[in-house]
Structures are given as C-alpha cells and as structure tokens.
Amino acid sequence: MQVNRELFDHVMVPNYNPSEVIPVKGKGSRVWDQKGDEYIDFAGGIAVNCLGHSHPNLVNALKEQGEKIWHLSNVMTNEPALRLAKKITDATFADKVYFANSGAEANEAALKLARRFALDNYGEHKSKIIAFNKGFHGRTFFTVTVGGQAAYSDGFGPKPADIVHCDYNDLETLKSLIDDNTCAVMMEPLQGEGGIISPTQEFAEGVRALCDQHNALLIFDEVQTGVGRTGHLYAYQGLNVTPDILTTAKALGGGFPIGAMITTTDIAKHLKIGTHGSTYGGNPLACAVAEAAFNTVNTESVLTGVQQKEAMFRELLEAINTKYNVFSEIRGKGLLLGAVLNEQFEGRARDFLVASMKHGLMTLVAGTNVVRFTPSLVIEEDDIKAGLARFELAVADVVNG
Ligand SMILES: *Cc1c(COP(=O)(O)O)cnc(C)c1O
C-alpha cells in the first residue's frame, strides 16, 4: 500500500489539512520523515511532547506497563492512576483528581462541575459562565462554546446557554459582566491558541478577587501552560493566583493521550457517584506514562532549564530580528513563545511556517500573525541553535520573497 499525503484525501474526513511531510521516527528534538529527511522540532506536537520524542523514561514506562495491564475500566481502580493522582495533588493546590483523555474532556468536566457546584449550593439561577475572547478550551460543544471564537462553535445548532465573553486583560468589562448569577470564570493563565497573550498581574489577581466577591469558581485551563511549559510546574504557581479548578492535558502524557481536572475536596464532592465519567479516564497505560513524564519534568533542573532555554530563544530571535526586522515583539513565557509579526508582514505567520519546513524546521502558528514555538522542555542547546539557524534561513526566504 502506498501511504502518502494523497491517501489522506481519500480516507480521512477533511477537517484537517496536514503537511505533505509524513514523519515516521523521532528522537529527542529531531524527527525524520518517510524519505529520511531530518527536521528539528520546535512544535513539540503542539506543546505535547514535553520530553521530546522517544524519551527513555517514557518508553520504559510504556513498555513496563504494557506488559502488566492495559485497561480495566473505572469499575476498578489501578496503581498508576492512584500514584499519578497522589503526585499531582502533592505538587499543587488540589486535593482531588478526575482523569480524562484530552484537554477538551478535562474542561468539559470542569465546566459541568462548576455548574453542579453552583446548583447544589445556590440554586438554578447561578449558571452564567464568563470566558475570554480568543480563548481556546477544546472542541466539544460545551468547551468550544466557552472558547472565545464564535466561528468554531457556529453552525452546529443551538449552543449551550448562559455563556458570555469578555476581552482578556479587560478587568473593567469583566466587572460589568460578573454578578451573583455567575458560577464560573474560565481562563487560560496565558492564552496559547489566541496568540500567546500573557495576563497582566493586576488582571489575574483582579479576576480572582471578582470570583471571590461573587462566589464564582475560577477555572484555569492549563492544558497548554501546564507541566513545566512556563518554567513552573503550573503557570498559576508563577502568577501566585490559585484557581478553584485547574485542567491539564497536552504535556501531561508527554505524547500519550491523557487529561485531568483537579480541584479541592469541597468542590470535588459535588461530582457524586454516577454524575460524570469516562471509559478510558485513568487508563493504567496512560497514567503510567504520565507518571514518568511528571516525575521527569517536576524537577528543579528541568524547570530552571526551561527558563534558561527561554532566554536563549529570545536572544537568538532578537538577533534574527535585528538583521531582518520582521517581528514587533517576542512574547510568552518559558517555552511557550510567540514571535509577533510587524506591520509589514502582518497576517503572514503561515508563510514563515511553510518556509521553515523547507529548511527542516517544524514550527507552529498562533492565529495569522504569530509564529509559535513550543519545543521539548529538555531540548538541547545545540538543537536550539541549529533550529534557529534554520529559522533564519526561512525568515530570509520570506523577506526576499
Ligand atoms: C489544546 C488545548 C485544549 C484542547 O485540548 P484537546 O486535547 O485537543 O482536547 C484546551 N485548552 C487549551 C488551552 C489548549 O491549548
């Protein structure tokens, strides 16, 4: 069988438009395609591959658990899930964990829990959910409606109700929207898909205060920012603003699908037996790999390493910009970085991505105006240098037409 990009168009639902390149192997921050061409990976599977490709700790965990037990269902619990939950709760504000299989599912659980908590404690009127424009929370109908791009939730019939949106970093508008009927405010503690937008400290603290004032739960969607990405285990720890519910996925499994919703005992108790569930949630194979990823990332050396690597990225990107004058700003935190195109190149982020690919570099975009980098948290300095040398060639290509 000829397995190529053409086959995609024959057999796959056309909701994606993937690259012509089909990778077949990865090691660390290098990836090889069917032809044996090599790429440096600054995309990290969209902030998922926190330890690069084929990290020995993850491969060993997968092999070991693979020879023990793969799946049980939630009729039984299992050792890897309990160990992982204990480690997550020990390392965060949370006391309780609900395992899911993806970011959207973790967020779905968070939103359902917030609604149930408000219903049980205050009554049916308290159902308003406030979220932010440009925010992204996944593609289930509830989460995509809470997300801040109506285009993604339009065209599927009646939407889940009582969800309103506000601009990120706009505390005054939030103040005018929030009231005692509000059950939750959901936000990313650094908007990823929306363009790598950091909250101001004043905004983050202000949201927390407004939630407290109106007995609304603060949900942090850390699906992209979590598990070391910003140089802290979770971004809330760097902001010193603690949410009531936090969701984590992407890097949690280092490439194996898993998500989690974590919260306090007092809130968790409203998800009583039978109120919510998932066949695969807490699957032993997923939890064993996630435990290995968590153990590896949650160390002083990896987390401070992220900050050092951020500094290196920024310095080398600034040097490219000094030569070619294409960016108005390098923004983000840790290894969730965005190079924002200046007026002259406005809207052309995809051109930089395509040119990078031609020079053997995998990057991402965040919207049409930001080139996004979410590499492995343990990427070697030599790979950063080599990757950005390739990026410079790509920038030169775009600038020279
Ligand atoms: C990727 C992402 C999601 C969705 O995660 P899936 O695993 O694709 O469902 C949700 N929230 C944020 C902030 C994300 O970056």
Side-chain angles (χ1 to χ4, degrees):
M1 194 188 346
Q2 280 277 1
V3 181
N4 51 30
R5 177 61 178 78
E6 223 166 64
L7 186 57
F8 180 95
D9 293 332
H10 289 300
V11 298
M12 302 292 272
V13 168
N15 63 318
Y16 304 118
N17 180 22
S19 154
E20 288 293 323
V21 171
I22 301 184
V24 293
K25 198 176 102 166
K27 182 82 198 140
S29 287
R30 306 261 171 168
V31 168
W32 291 267
D33 70 7
Q34 290 173 315
K35 289 184 262 170
D37 289 340
E38 177 242 27
Y39 299 83
I40 293 174
D41 187 3
F42 282 180
I46 316 189
V48 166
N49 301 318
C50 55
L51 297 171
H53 299 272
S54 307
H55 191 284
N57 296 4
L58 303 192
V59 173
N60 287 338
L62 186 68
K63 279 188 181 159
E64 265 180 38
Q65 189 61 38
E67 287 171 357
K68 285 183 184 160
I69 195 157
W70 286 27
H71 183 71
L72 285 160
S73 92
N74 288 300
V75 174
M76 278 160 218
T77 189
N78 67 79
E79 290 183 356
L82 295 177
R83 280 199 307 262
L84 176 60
K86 176 81 173 94
K87 286 176 183 175
I88 293 174
T89 53
D90 282 349
T92 64
F93 74 95
D95 314 306
K96 304 282 185 184
V97 178
Y98 167 82
F99 286 119
N101 313 290
S102 66
E105 282 178 65
N107 285 333
E108 184 82 18
L111 293 165
K112 283 178 74 178
L113 173 56
R115 282 266 177 91
R116 184 60 70 108
F117 175 85
L119 180 74
D120 290 349
N121 284 323
Y122 305 98
E124 256 178 37
H125 64 281
K126 196 172 173 74
S127 63
K128 189 198 284 184
I129 291 166
I130 305 176
F132 296 94
N133 294 323
K134 295 187 177 171
F136 184 76
H137 303 297
R139 297 287 200 147
T140 65
F141 206 15
F142 199 172
T143 58
V144 80
T145 306
V146 171
Q149 270 192 280
Y152 290 167
S153 55
D154 288 345
F156 299 102
K159 298 182 189 185
D162 212 8
I163 297 164
V164 298
H165 295 91
C166 166
D167 278 349
Y168 202 69
N169 280 328
D170 180 355
L171 206 51
E172 285 312 306
T173 305
L174 180 63
K175 230 178 247 172
S176 71
L177 290 174
I178 197 167
D179 56 22
D180 289 343
N181 293 336
T182 305
C183 75
V185 175
M186 182 177 238
M187 67 182 272
E188 295 161 83
L190 189 169
Q191 287 191 325
E193 302 300 311
I196 315 294
I197 300 162
S198 293
T200 63
Q201 188 64 33
E202 183 200 2
F203 178 67
E205 288 171 11
V207 176
R208 177 69 273 181
L210 284 171
C211 285
D212 290 342
Q213 202 178 318
H214 294 282
N215 295 316
L217 298 181
L218 176 57
I219 305 171
F220 270 7
D221 177 347
E222 293 231 28
V223 170
Q224 190 152 166
T225 53
V227 195
R229 181 59 51 192
T230 66
H232 302 272
L233 181 63
Y234 285 98
Y236 86 85
Q237 293 161 326
L239 279 170
N240 272 317
V241 171
T242 305
D244 300 296
I245 302 177
L246 181 152
T247 56
T248 174
K250 290 203 166 96
L252 184 62
F256 201 99
I258 181 170
M261 185 267 300
I262 69 176
T263 187
T264 62
T265 303
D266 190 45
I267 297 168
K269 70 177 189 233
H270 294 271
L271 276 192
K272 297 189 185 77
I273 292 172
T275 49
H276 192 57
S278 155
T279 296
Y280 279 117
N283 167 280
L285 212 46
C287 290
V289 177
E291 185 193 2
F294 198 85
N295 288 343
T296 311
V297 169
N298 192 24
T299 58
E300 193 57 34
S301 66
V302 169
L303 296 177
T304 55
V306 168
Q307 293 167 19
Q308 288 156 0
K309 293 171 209 293
E310 173 189 3
M312 190 167 187
F313 260 96
R314 284 181 177 276
E315 188 186 315
L316 293 171
L317 283 168
E318 295 292 357
I320 293 172
N321 201 33
T322 304
K323 257 189 185 163
Y324 294 94
N325 191 24
V326 282
F327 309 126
S328 60
E329 184 190 0
I330 309 297
R331 68 190 180 200
K333 191 167 184 197
L335 289 173
L336 180 51
L337 292 171
V340 186
L341 300 175
N342 64 22
E343 249 168 43
Q344 198 190 338
F345 295 91
E346 185 146 10
R348 293 185 60 193
R350 219 191 127 71
D351 293 348
F352 288 84
L353 178 144
V354 170
S356 296
M357 207 59 191
K358 284 196 183 120
H359 288 285
L361 176 70
M362 294 156 67
T363 61
L364 295 171
V365 299
T368 57
N369 210 38
V370 178
V371 184
R372 173 171 41 155
F373 305 102
T374 57
S376 158
L377 305 182
V378 295
I379 186 171
E380 306 275 346
E381 294 202 342
D382 284 346
D383 287 338
I384 299 177
K385 283 183 196 152
L388 286 171
R390 293 180 189 187
F391 188 61
E392 180 169 346
L393 298 176
V395 169
D397 279 1
V398 175
V399 168
N400 299 325

